[in-house]
Amino acid sequence: VVSTQSTGSNIGTTATAVLAALAATGDKRSVTIQVAISHLLFNICGILVFYPVPFMRKIPIGAAKVLGNTTADYRWFAVIYLILVFLVMPLFFIALSFNLVLLYVVISLLLALLAFVTILNTLQHKVPDKLPEALKTWAFLPLPLRSLGPYDSVFT
């Protein structure tokens, strides 16, 4: 369950950022306030999406469990995850933003891949007998595309 304590602390940290932005002086003040308010509104929207609807609360909790379990199995995963999510991906999308058509194509392909994986996972768990034999498991993919095991020897 998403606790009200974590929700409150999430808003509290962004409120602190707003207060810090108010301390800015000169021509930087409006920019710092704009960034702080954007951060606050982003977190409020996240709470409005995930907190009121009970089944939506399972998404961040489930994701945290999967990431935690993966990190427990592969110690290097946390560092690689942080580098990919907070450095490589933003730089990649910033570079793509200079060519909007390419950006839309890449985002469309990523969304299509996400939809395919989600649908196939759901079908594998709910109605595996309706799937062709090759799609009943992920074994049709090469091992590095379905397991982190092959990368373990590289990073440890």
Side-chain angles (χ1 to χ4, degrees), residues 1-7 47 50-51 54 56-58 60-61:
V1 179
V2 177
S3 94
T4 53
Q5 226 172 12
S6 64
T7 304
I47 289 169
F50 290 108
Y51 192 70
M56 292 291 285
R57 296 178 198 165
K58 294 179 183 178
I61 302 296

Side-chain angles (χ1 to χ4, degrees), residues 36-151:
I37 296 289
S38 298
H39 187 202
L40 176 66
L41 292 175
F42 179 81
N43 282 349
I44 288 172
C45 288
I47 289 169
L48 292 175
V49 166
F50 290 108
Y51 192 70
V53 185
F55 79 89
M56 292 291 285
R57 296 178 198 165
K58 294 179 183 178
I59 294 171
I61 302 296
K65 285 180 181 178
V66 167
L67 290 173
N69 290 336
T70 305
T71 300
D73 293 339
Y74 305 101
R75 293 293 186 194
W76 52 267
F77 179 78
V79 174
I80 299 299
Y81 175 81
L82 290 172
I83 290 169
L84 285 175
V85 170
F86 294 106
L87 182 68
V88 174
M89 282 179 54
L91 288 175
F92 177 70
F93 282 107
I94 287 170
L96 279 178
S97 69
F98 292 112
N99 184 343
L100 289 180
V101 172
L102 185 59
L103 176 67
Y104 295 142
V105 168
V106 169
I107 289 176
S108 299
L109 290 173
L110 289 174
L111 288 174
L113 179 64
L114 178 67
F116 172 76
V117 169
T118 303
I119 292 168
L120 187 56
N121 264 337
T122 303
L123 292 173
Q124 285 174 342
H125 292 294
K126 302 283 184 187
V127 287
D129 51 317
K130 304 273 188 206
L131 288 171
E133 197 61 39
L135 295 178
K136 288 185 179 182
T137 67
W138 289 102
F140 67 91
L141 289 174
L143 189 60
L145 293 179
R146 59 184 157 94
S147 172
L148 293 175
Y151 303 107

